[in-house]
Amino acid sequence: MNNTEKPTPRTLGNVSWHDRAACRFTVHDQADPDLFFPEPDEMDRIRVAKALCDRCPVRTTCLDSALENGDQDGIRGGMTEEERHSVHRKFQLRLDYGRVNAVLAGSDIHLTAAERRAAARAAYQAGTSAEELARMLKVTKEHAQKLYRRTRRQLRDRAIDQQKKANTGEQTPQGRTAALKKPSVHAPSRDDLGEAA
């Protein structure tokens, strides 16, 4: 039985979750730290380590931490180095709106590239200044302005594409025929973005 729950995104540098890890070394529970660094052919050790991970209440947080920090060694979050390899490559594509909303609410959380773009889109919609976005994302004001320029460009391109589809009567992604009336051409406003989550 897996006791893990989807954790609240941890703040940057927060390792307090270590205290709840099933693999922690305590006087009463003396898990061998070397167990989590087996050789690839040590299948018995790998099974024992993964069994311990399966009952860990912070397994997801452990895996997130390994991915965020680029940890390549050992078993982390119930996955071997080899199993995490493909996850590492796809990690920057992760888009968790819970994490995005936590950053927008003021939490100091590691975001992937996709999550940063979503945060910029939501902040733009809310009328957040570039200075405030820079503070939330821990980037320079210039980088925040760049994120806003990219957001405006994407919204403009989306509005143009929608207008073209409406003018030609193309099917929309939802399978409906686009309206035949010609929409007004305007740069998308912040209100056109919708909610982040």
Side-chain angles (χ1 to χ4, degrees):
M1 181 173 141
N2 190 342
N3 295 327
T4 59
E5 295 179 16
K6 185 165 176 109
T8 302
R10 67 184 177 84
T11 57
L12 291 172
N14 177 355
V15 293
S16 61
W17 60 274
H18 286 180
D19 295 338
R20 299 188 334 265
C23 62
R24 73 190 179 286
F25 185 88
T26 66
V27 175
H28 304 290
D29 189 5
Q30 299 183 6
D32 179 7
D34 290 336
L35 178 66
F36 295 91
F37 296 93
E39 292 300 321
D41 61 343
E42 295 181 306
M43 299 309 294
D44 289 338
R45 287 182 66 197
I46 291 171
R47 275 192 286 278
V48 170
K50 285 184 164 191
L52 194 55
C53 289
D54 281 344
R55 64 180 179 91
C56 183
V58 292
R59 177 181 177 183
T60 305
T61 303
C62 179
L63 180 58
D64 276 351
S65 176
L67 296 173
E68 290 166 6
N69 295 317
D71 293 346
Q72 299 290 327
D73 299 323
I75 295 175
R76 299 287 305 271
M79 297 179 83
T80 65
E81 299 162 15
E82 295 79 14
E83 291 167 337
R84 284 198 317 276
H85 181 70
S86 63
V87 178
H88 271 285
R89 288 182 298 157
K90 298 174 187 173
F91 179 67
Q92 285 302 318
L93 302 176
R94 177 182 73 183
L95 181 53
D96 179 342
Y97 282 109
R99 300 171 67 79
V100 171
N101 289 334
V103 166
L104 295 173
S107 295
D108 188 12
I109 297 170
H110 174 86
L111 295 180
T112 64
E115 290 167 339
R116 282 178 180 267
R117 288 189 298 271
R121 225 176 6 257
Y124 180 81
Q125 174 202 9
T128 304
S129 69
E131 294 86 359
E132 182 65 12
L133 178 65
R135 186 195 62 73
M136 286 189 292
L137 297 181
K138 308 292 186 272
V139 297
T140 64
K141 178 182 172 186
E142 291 76 19
H143 186 72
Q145 290 169 333
K146 179 180 175 182
L147 288 170
Y148 274 172
R149 282 193 302 275
R150 183 179 299 149
T151 298
R152 285 191 298 274
R153 190 169 34 254
Q154 289 170 344
L155 292 172
R156 180 203 61 213
D157 292 347
R158 185 181 306 153
I160 290 170
D161 286 346
Q162 288 174 345
Q163 178 184 358
K164 286 179 184 177
K165 287 179 183 179
N167 289 341
T168 62
E170 282 185 36
Q171 293 286 323
T172 62
Q174 294 79 20
R176 298 185 310 264
T177 303
L180 296 177
K181 68 177 187 173
K182 184 174 180 176
S184 62
V185 179
H186 71 284
S189 72
R190 289 183 169 106
D191 294 333
D192 294 334
L193 283 168
E195 292 296 319

